[in-house]
Amino acid sequence: MARIAIVGTGYVGLTTGACMAEMGHTVCCLDINRRRVEDLRAGVIPIYEPGMDTLVATNVAAGRLRFSADYRDALSNVEFVVIAVPTPMSDDGQADLRYVVTASKQIARSLTAPAIVINKSTSPVGTADRISGILEAARPEFGPWSVVCNPEFLREGCAIDDCLHPARVVLGSRDMVAAHAVEALYESLDCPAIITDPYTAEMIKYGSNAFLAMRISFVNEVARICDALGADVTTVAKGMGLDPRIGSAFLQAGLGYGGSCFPKDVSALAGMAVSAGLDPQLLQSTRAINDGQRDWAVKRLEETLGHLEGATVAVLGLAFKPDTDDLREAPALDIIQSLIDRGASVRAYDPVAMPGAERLGVPALLCGSIEECVSGVDAVLLATDWDVFIHADWARIGQLMRGTVVFDGRNCLDPQVIARHGMNYLGVGRPGLVERTSQREARERIAAVA
Ligand code: UGA
């Protein structure tokens, strides 16, 4: 079993640290934020992630996991150092590597013996070489340094399961001995490993996220076409997904993707392409469709209500997806702003993201329950497919609302149930119970051209 230090206790760092401890390694998670480290030592988990509190507590109790705010302490006597710091989007859309660079310098300064450095932060092609350069410059006596790019594919909300049961482990390095040493850390996992050069490993991460984002934008574009013509995108996606060459994952139409990964990674990959003199049209369209989906939803609601000026809308769900309190790039936030810009009053509720919404100053009336949120509103817009909304008492919601429009922004409700309770269901690319004249006219135009 290995001795490992993890730099950064965000989603990736904390999950990796806790899961590597669970695999039997001895792990110290380091964060420069002392408050965060004190909280973690006290068992307070800084992120909302199902199962993380128990996993951390069990491994701390077993003596395999500890937390430190001091580089020298965390890195003393380790064989591997994992970099898991943020690579946010900079103003020009490219990945901002300042935290990776600082962490690399600190690692070089703090190690008392050579160690293999693993980069898990999503970083552009060339970053592993850049880390090597920083380490070599700072501590040539420990060279040649071995850096392994080992991207992470975990999803918020099911991070532990994704980390302990990955579909693959990707390792990219110029030092094959180091790559195999890192592979051995994961020997208890039952999945294939891809061992390659660092550029290719770095590109696998961007390619994967951009491809998933593209699928979502694709199905959202199809949903808009379905909406215009009167077809049902949920059944279209099901019918497409049954083809094993297509598969059913990430074909759920809705308000588009958010979060800390897809928007930034699509942008960063497009930025890399532009820097290389290319014109990444599919990536640009993926992004444009995703941004446009939020406007599309607001316009669709406006068209249904007749006007937004003076209307009151309840937004159910603020987090960018269920089982997380993460509000980064959440579609709900843009939609709330857009509704307000068009003169609507907005009430909002989320089962876990309310404290974050308050901190951000989300410009809606923040409510303490579903009931409070929907009382007296003209329309409900479901922005995050939390189970509590899917299984909510829709009969009661219907009674509490003033109007009747339920806009299911995630296509997760049963239109018949909503209709049975006397409300008008509106989905993303799902036909309503009454055909719109515009849909019939659009089909007639197509038939005439054909
Ligand atoms: C994503 C990837 O799924 C992970 O593999 C990757 O490791 C991670 O980014 C990362 O780079 O760190 P995550 O951002 O946690 O994970 O969330 P996803 O579950 O992928 O969902 C992203 C967004 O797409 C959410 O807003 C979700 O609502 C939306 N989505 C997802 C759809 O609109 N339709 C779908 O069919 C699937």
Side-chain angles (χ1 to χ4, degrees):
M1 289 296 132
R3 297 180 304 279
I4 304 168
I6 315 262
V7 178
T9 60
Y11 248 103
V12 172
L14 184 59
T15 309
T16 305
C19 289
M20 284 190 148
E22 181 71 10
M23 291 174 215
H25 304 299
T26 305
V27 179
C28 181
C29 289
L30 169 121
D31 205 296
I32 48 169
N33 181 340
R34 286 187 178 277
R35 176 74 201 277
R36 203 169 171 105
V37 169
E38 278 161 24
D39 281 353
L40 283 161
R41 283 179 174 160
V44 178
I45 307 297
I47 49 171
Y48 177 88
E49 183 63 35
M52 188 63 81
D53 46 358
T54 315
L55 190 72
V56 167
T58 316
N59 283 285
V60 167
R64 290 189 299 261
L65 180 62
R66 68 184 183 96
F67 300 96
S68 177
D70 180 71
Y71 263 93
R72 280 192 181 275
D73 169 49
L75 269 60
S76 75
N77 199 26
V78 296
E79 300 152 283
F80 299 88
V81 185
V82 179
I83 301 176
V85 296
T87 51
M89 195 178 346
S90 50
D91 292 342
D92 62 359
Q94 309 256 14
D96 176 350
L97 288 181
R98 93 180 67 164
Y99 302 112
V100 172
V101 169
T102 312
S104 305
K105 287 181 182 162
Q106 287 283 4
I107 290 167
R109 266 184 228 132
S110 312
L111 278 170
T112 50
I116 293 174
V117 175
I118 302 169
N119 185 29
K120 266 198 184 290
S121 305
T122 303
S123 322
V125 170
T127 304
D129 284 352
R130 190 165 167 198
I131 295 172
S132 291
I134 293 169
L135 297 168
E136 289 289 344
R139 279 308 266 285
E141 68 274 27
F142 284 176
W145 286 80
S146 301
V147 177
V148 180
C149 166
N150 173 210
E152 184 52 63
F153 300 98
L154 58 84
R155 289 163 297 170
E156 292 184 17
C158 40
I160 297 169
D161 198 52
D162 283 351
C163 198
L164 290 175
H165 305 101
R168 76 294 210 190
V169 167
V170 174
L171 304 159
S173 186
R174 309 223 170 270
D175 176 350
M176 282 302 125
V177 176
H180 285 290
V182 178
E183 183 188 17
L185 296 177
Y186 299 109
E187 70 185 357
S188 61
L189 306 181
D190 179 23
C191 70
I194 293 208
I195 301 191
T196 180
D197 64 87
Y199 295 172
T200 307
E202 286 158 344
M203 188 55 96
I204 288 173
K205 171 68 186 186
Y206 281 103
S208 302
N209 272 6
F211 185 80
L212 292 170
M214 178 204 69
R215 281 178 71 106
I216 298 170
S217 282
F218 177 85
V219 80
N220 281 334
E221 178 146 81
V222 170
R224 290 189 215 166
I225 304 171
C226 285
D227 183 76
L229 301 180
D232 184 343
V233 75
T234 59
T235 310
V236 171
K238 194 172 169 192
M240 288 169 56
L242 284 171
D243 183 331
R245 292 171 303 174
I246 297 174
S248 60
F250 282 72
L251 278 185
Q252 195 181 332
L255 301 176
Y257 58 80
S260 63
C261 304
F262 287 175
K264 130 180 119 61
D265 293 347
V266 171
S267 232
L269 185 55
M272 279 183 251
V274 170
S275 301
L278 303 168
D279 178 18
Q281 294 178 36
L282 190 50
L283 296 172
Q284 313 282 26
S285 299
T286 296
R287 198 163 50 179
I289 292 168
N290 197 57
D291 292 345
Q293 196 67 0
R294 300 163 193 210
D295 299 332
W296 178 88
V298 171
K299 284 195 192 115
R300 192 72 183 78
L301 184 61
E302 184 169 43
E303 186 187 287
T304 308
L305 286 173
H307 57 93
L308 282 170
E309 181 76 48
T312 306
V313 180
V315 173
L316 291 181
L318 295 172
F320 81 98
K321 66 171 190 176
D323 293 323
T324 179
D325 60 353
D326 199 335
L327 292 166
R328 285 175 287 179
E329 305 277 339
L333 303 189
D334 280 348
I335 287 174
I336 288 173
Q337 190 56 57
S338 180
L339 290 168
I340 289 170
D341 291 347
R342 287 161 192 254
S345 305
V346 183
R347 304 163 71 87
Y349 171 72
D350 186 284
V352 303
M354 298 316 278
E358 252 170 61
R359 274 196 302 277
L360 273 184
V362 171
L365 179 70
L366 300 179
C367 301
S369 66
I370 298 178
E371 288 74 16
E372 186 191 342
C373 187
V374 302
S375 288
V377 300
D378 298 295
V380 167
L381 192 160
L382 194 153
T384 316
D385 39 344
W386 283 98
D387 270 352
V388 284
F389 299 145
I390 296 171
H391 303 297
D393 184 348
W394 284 96
R396 176 87 186 119
I397 292 174
Q399 289 159 3
L400 291 169
M401 289 171 65
R402 176 170 66 192
T404 56
V405 173
V406 173
F407 187 170
D408 177 7
R410 294 292 175 179
N411 285 353
C412 59
L413 302 174
D414 182 343
Q416 303 294 339
V417 170
I418 301 301
R420 204 181 311 133
H421 297 307
M423 291 172 281
N424 292 324
Y425 179 89
L426 178 66
V428 179
R430 288 173 108 178
L433 297 177
V434 182
E435 184 184 55
R436 302 200 323 262
T437 315
S438 63
Q439 292 170 337
R440 189 174 32 77
E441 287 172 355
R443 283 198 306 271
E444 282 167 6
R445 273 199 303 277
I446 293 166
V449 173

